[in-house]
Amino acid sequence: MKKVLLYVGVALVVIVGGGFAFLELKKPAMNTPSALKVEATADRLQRGKYIFENVSDCGGCHSERNWEKFGGPVYDGRVGVGFVFPPELGLPGKVVAPNLTPDPETGIGGWTDGEKLRAIREGVSKDGRALFPFMPYPHFRKMSDEDAYSVVAYMNSLQPVKNRLPKTELNFPIDLMIKFVPAPVVSPAPPPDRSNKLKYGEYLVEMGGCIECHTQMERGKMVAGKEFGGGTEFNFKGMLVRSANISPDPETGLGKWGEQRFVDKFKGFANMTYDNAPRMNQSNFTLMPWLPMSQLPEEDLRAIYAYLRTVKPVFNSIEVHPPAPPAAQ
Ligand code: HEC
Ligand code: HEC
């Protein structure tokens, strides 16, 4: 009997070991990057800046920001230079948002436009590595071709900045699991129909990654049925904030908010700048991209509001700012 168990044990080790070896070697699903060279028209530069800095807040993750001030405004000249996420955020390993400026050595100046497009929408780096989906490429997959070209045109127009950063190093087994996340974009993606308020709102909510921050997570996965119900905790720089419930639940979400109240909430931050932002402390700490998103045209905010009215109401009462900062760890 003991011998049988031993054999079973050995067999298991061999199978599991073989499985890991297979996963170590496994490559993510990927396309060869397109040979397309993105033309930088004025329209694209403007639209690309809007997506990069406002709607998708690429700059929020990929820039150096002043966390002493409300909303963490981006330092002058540090847009796109990259950022190393601090350990207290509780990410599974060392996570680094790379330098996206066109510096050839430390940024992505040596990448083709096709490689940039593939990284943004399909989650594969230049070297064929799967990107950690904290980079919201599963959402950017739905980015229209024209918007994706615009983002690339805008990234190409950034001032090259030399800023050497370490590489992302994820813990086992997350480093292997993420290989299954990338997926090629196989059909043309037409621009969103702006005359359809709901559809355009859905598109903006997708590009804004709202659901990622506004849904409770368990072991790195969104809890099904809790979408937009808030409650994700962000512990950062010794401060703690929980995301708000933005589902249309009338008691605990935005159910009683009219469209104008929603728009005004964003527009209330529209004149806040690097210079006049108040100091950030436990009572006003946030990671909500208020400064970038306050610059959205009202039409876009109204579309977002319209879409958020249609998601399932989640009953979830959130104390966004707990009274005291978390105990030192
Ligand atoms: C929530 C934070 C976050 C946001 C928002 C974000 N990124 Fe990223 N991005 C990352 C992280 C982290 C990585 C690196 C992941 C890794 O190394 O596995 C990354 C990787 C990349 C890469 C690959 C770079 C390389 O050297 O491999 C590109 C290109 C990129 N992001 C562009 C963008 C663009 C464009 C947007 C907005 C449309 C964006 N990112 C939004 C966090 C973010
Ligand atoms: C990086 C994380 C993050 C992202 C992305 C994000 N939010 Fe938030 N949001 C928060 C946090 C944290 C709060 C709570 C603190 C605060 O109100 O500033 C919040 C608060 C809000 C509030 C205020 C609700 C209230 O009851 O006062 C609204 C409205 C909102 N978010 C809408 C959105 C929308 C719409 C998007 C996408 C376009 C979005 N958020 C994307 C983190 C995020």
Side-chain angles (χ1 to χ4, degrees):
M1 183 61 193
K2 266 195 190 138
K3 241 192 181 154
V4 171
L5 277 181
L6 182 70
Y7 288 141
V8 169
V10 169
L12 266 180
V13 168
V14 171
I15 292 168
V16 171
F20 285 140
F22 165 75
L23 281 177
E24 289 288 350
L25 295 173
K26 182 188 155 55
K27 296 231 181 313
M30 68 174 103
N31 271 337
T32 348
S34 90
L36 184 126
K37 179 98 193 58
V38 171
E39 200 194 324
T41 62
D43 279 354
R44 280 187 179 156
L45 288 172
Q46 194 193 7
R47 177 78 181 166
K49 183 178 200 298
Y50 178 57
I51 293 169
F52 191 97
E53 294 193 355
N54 303 105
V55 179
S56 297
D57 198 24
C58 319
C61 284
H62 287 272
S63 304
E64 276 169 18
R65 298 164 62 180
N66 182 355
W67 291 107
E68 306 271 294
K69 295 202 160 193
F70 181 85
V74 175
Y75 285 113
D76 272 349
R78 305 304 282 175
V79 174
V81 304
F83 182 67
V84 180
F85 289 93
E88 71 259 28
L89 269 178
L91 294 166
K94 183 175 12 169
V95 177
V96 182
N99 180 346
L100 300 180
T101 73
D103 179 62
E105 271 169 60
T106 65
I108 57 173
W111 291 35
T112 65
D113 289 344
E115 285 164 344
K116 292 171 200 169
L117 289 167
R118 186 177 69 171
I120 296 167
R121 290 196 298 186
E122 306 179 23
V124 175
S125 189
K126 180 182 171 72
D127 60 8
R129 172 178 71 91
L131 296 172
F132 179 39
F134 181 66
M135 153 76 191
Y137 62 87
H139 297 283
F140 301 155
R141 269 184 70 68
K142 299 198 184 129
M143 195 182 287
S144 75
D145 293 336
E146 189 49 39
D147 279 354
Y149 303 157
S150 300
V151 168
V152 168
Y154 177 68
M155 290 200 307
N156 290 345
S157 78
L158 290 172
Q159 200 61 31
V161 178
K162 216 162 258 340
N163 189 34
R164 191 172 297 283
L165 295 173
K167 284 229 176 314
T168 294
E169 279 173 47
L170 297 174
N171 300 338
F172 174 85
I174 307 283
D175 58 339
L176 301 180
M177 281 154 61
I178 63 162
K179 296 187 179 196
F180 293 94
V181 186
V185 170
V186 289
S187 38
D193 175 5
R194 290 203 204 188
S195 64
N196 184 334
K197 194 174 176 182
L198 221 95
K199 277 278 166 221
Y200 190 50
E202 182 178 11
Y203 180 78
L204 292 170
V205 166
E206 194 76 52
M207 293 308 120
C210 321
I211 199 171
E212 289 287 332
C213 283
H214 282 278
T215 304
Q216 232 166 284
M217 298 281 211
E218 246 170 47
R219 277 176 274 122
K221 279 220 172 89
M222 278 187 256
V223 181
K226 300 274 185 191
E227 290 83 1
F228 300 104
T232 316
E233 288 200 347
F234 299 97
N235 185 353
F236 191 65
K237 305 276 168 193
M239 297 175 283
L240 180 79
V241 67
R242 298 192 190 103
S243 62
N245 183 344
I246 59 169
S247 81
D249 182 68
E251 300 305 319
T252 62
L254 301 186
K256 294 200 176 103
W257 286 38
E259 188 184 77
Q260 199 53 44
R261 177 169 172 197
F262 184 84
V263 171
D264 290 346
K265 173 82 193 185
F266 286 81
K267 288 297 172 192
F269 299 92
N271 294 323
M272 198 180 276
T273 62
Y274 178 79
D275 292 322
N276 67 18
R279 287 192 73 77
M280 191 134 75
N281 56 47
Q282 177 54 28
S283 64
N284 68 1
F285 172 52
T286 190
L287 288 182
M288 170 70 194
W290 288 121
L291 273 67
M293 287 188 184
S294 66
Q295 302 303 321
L296 266 60
E298 287 201 7
E299 184 199 346
D300 288 12
L301 290 170
R302 291 183 199 284
I304 290 175
Y305 175 83
Y307 174 69
L308 287 177
R309 302 306 285 178
T310 67
V311 307
K312 199 187 93 188
V314 178
F315 183 84
N316 194 22
S317 183
I318 310 288
E319 190 184 22
V320 167
H321 289 112
Q329 302 183 344

